[in-house]
Amino acid sequence: MTTDDVHKVRSFEHPGAGRKRAKATPKGRQVDPTAAHEIEQLLGDRPRQRDMLIEYLHLIQDHYRQISAAHLAALADEMKLSFAEVFETATFYAHFDVVKEGEPDIAPLTIRVCDSLTCAMLGAERLLAELQDKAGPGIRVVRAPCVGRCDTAPAAEVGHNFVDHATVDNVLATAKAGDTHTHLPSYIGYDAYVADGGYTLLNRLRSGELAREDLLKSLDDASLRGLGGAGFPTGRKWRAVLGEPGPRLMAINGDEGEPGTFKDRYYLETDPHRFLEGMLIGAHVVEAPDIYIYIRDEYPASREILTREIAKLPAGGPRLHMRRGAGAYICGEESSLLESIEGKRGLPRHKPPYPFQVGLFGLPTLINNVETLWWVRDIVEKGADWWKSHGRHERHGLRSFSVSGRVKNPGMKLAPAGITVRELIDEYCGGMADGHSFRAYLPGGASGGILPASMDDIPLDFGTLEKYGCFIGSAAIVILSQQDSVRLAALNLMRFFEDESCGQCTPCRAGTQKAAQLMERPVWNRALLDELSQAMRDASICGLGQAASNPLTSVIKYFPDEFKEAAE
């Protein structure tokens, strides 16, 4: 091959070879200098570590009321992350309003109207439609999943200020007044808590006066179980984490997103230090130097109270890190919670390994629910016999029931474990609301199934409802009356699960969508719905998909009249 032939080959392989190349043009998304400066100023001297991504997305959202593509690119550049990684995280969470290039800005004020079951029963759809019609310019009105205020339904959020028993008039009056900031309820602060003996137990444990094994034995003897829904024995969980090689971490699951549930919010907004002391005791037992406290975004008052009260704690002890959810029910699942704390999308992890083995940042992690830790001090100080002295129908302990729906006095009801729903309504809720007769109830929130009023004598506790295809979960009790359609209630719940599915696995992602479509039809295909429900239970990665069909199967099994009416 001659020299000329070589040049011809090179020219063929590289068109334009031998000629002067044009000046290179940068490819991909460029960082806007103004946006870069704004992000740099907003972050200040905060660390640019990966797990802070969601916290910084909140900073942008709070400051600008939206998150622009330019700010996402600047944040990615500032944190040395890919734009795709930042974008997929921001768009995963419902509370981040991401504005893509070419889209109009979000309205300055957002009103969110809860559309979950209890609020829907009490007129949320009509409220939403009227607000959208009358809100006027500068105000965006959108629907929102359960905000944890079922006892004061319907609920709406104006900015970060919740309006209980919401009406068009009081919501728009709140917006017009510019009352968009969080209001804090009265609660037991640090000084009052200490004056009543608070942190004595923690100090005894830290000084060695109380042996770690004696404390664990108290929890074992009381049979305290996880009160977030799973019901795993607390003492056994602490021992399992302690049995793993260190270092170890602790994470708090304050993402109380199950429709109908609001007990954790009640405890955080009334007696937060009782929870904090239980948390610090747990961290001491498993020797965790860091605690990550994850509180759902719908609980701004709880987060503000904890931030204020943590600042009053004496120096020393583990490092406490507050983490803010961003509107994702899936993050109540423990492994999704860990992913979110790490600044990622809340996608459930495959198990095993389990979080107590490989958890937060790859380390053994103790994960506890807010209420579980709230009871630690009382159980250890008063003794296991005190705890077990409560209970009915051969059950033991206390349960914090979140009761909402068609009762006279809804709210958080502390009652004996094993109480029946009829006893709960009559003794703790003042009976049914005027004009309503008891028809059906949810014994465990959205995923716990639906039972008819004729089955009102079942003790409400762990292990008593499973044989009926239901479970107590987080003890969220929603009461339906003769004015409510059980079939439409189940459809409301399925739409919630469809919206909240993380999308990682097909059985849940496609199953909830298909189930909602089938349930919208006036005639139900029972065989297909049964088959679909079984596939979701068998093949979904986490509890969301596995339990999403419980309300559906309950309607078919326990409400044949309504099912037959739908099939005619």
Side-chain angles (χ1 to χ4, degrees), residues 176 375 461:
K176 184 177 180 180
W375 284 113
D461 198 12

Side-chain angles (χ1 to χ4, degrees), residues 396-444:
H396 302 287
L398 292 166
R399 291 289 176 271
S400 303
F401 294 98
S402 304
V403 185
S404 66
R406 307 297 190 177
V407 293
K408 283 186 179 178
N409 302 312
M412 204 291 291
K413 311 297 181 180
L414 183 60
I419 193 171
T420 68
V421 69
R422 177 65 70 178
E423 293 169 338
L424 190 63
I425 293 171
D426 293 343
E427 299 176 32
Y428 289 82
C429 301
M432 294 293 294
D434 293 338
H436 293 269
S437 59
F438 185 28
R439 170 136 194 248
Y441 67 106
L442 279 66

Side-chain angles (χ1 to χ4, degrees), residues 244-263:
E244 295 294 316
R248 309 175 193 92
L249 297 174
M250 185 175 188
I252 305 303
N253 190 343
D255 196 62
E256 184 181 48
E258 182 77 11
T261 310
F262 47 87
K263 61 185 179 59

Side-chain angles (χ1 to χ4, degrees), residues 449-451 485-491 519 524 526 549-564 566:
I450 308 175
L451 292 172
S485 166
V486 179
R487 188 166 63 92
L488 291 180
L491 176 57
M519 294 167 70
W524 281 11
R526 177 172 181 172
S549 64
N550 286 342
L552 161 62
T553 55
S554 295
V555 172
I556 295 174
K557 184 175 183 180
Y558 296 114
F559 299 90
D561 292 341
E562 187 151 340
F563 179 72
K564 288 177 181 178

Side-chain angles (χ1 to χ4, degrees), residues 198-264:
Y199 292 109
T200 299
L201 179 63
L202 174 64
N203 293 332
R204 289 179 58 214
L205 184 66
R206 286 177 171 175
S207 69
E209 179 185 345
L210 174 64
R212 177 168 56 191
E213 183 55 39
D214 290 341
L215 185 141
L216 287 169
K217 187 176 185 303
S218 294
L219 299 183
D220 291 338
D221 291 345
S223 300
L224 177 65
R225 301 174 67 167
L227 299 172
F232 194 85
T234 303
R236 192 194 308 173
K237 176 183 282 190
W238 290 17
R239 293 177 192 277
V241 175
L242 187 60
E244 295 294 316
R248 309 175 193 92
L249 297 174
M250 185 175 188
I252 305 303
N253 190 343
D255 196 62
E256 184 181 48
E258 182 77 11
T261 310
F262 47 87
K263 61 185 179 59
D264 286 356

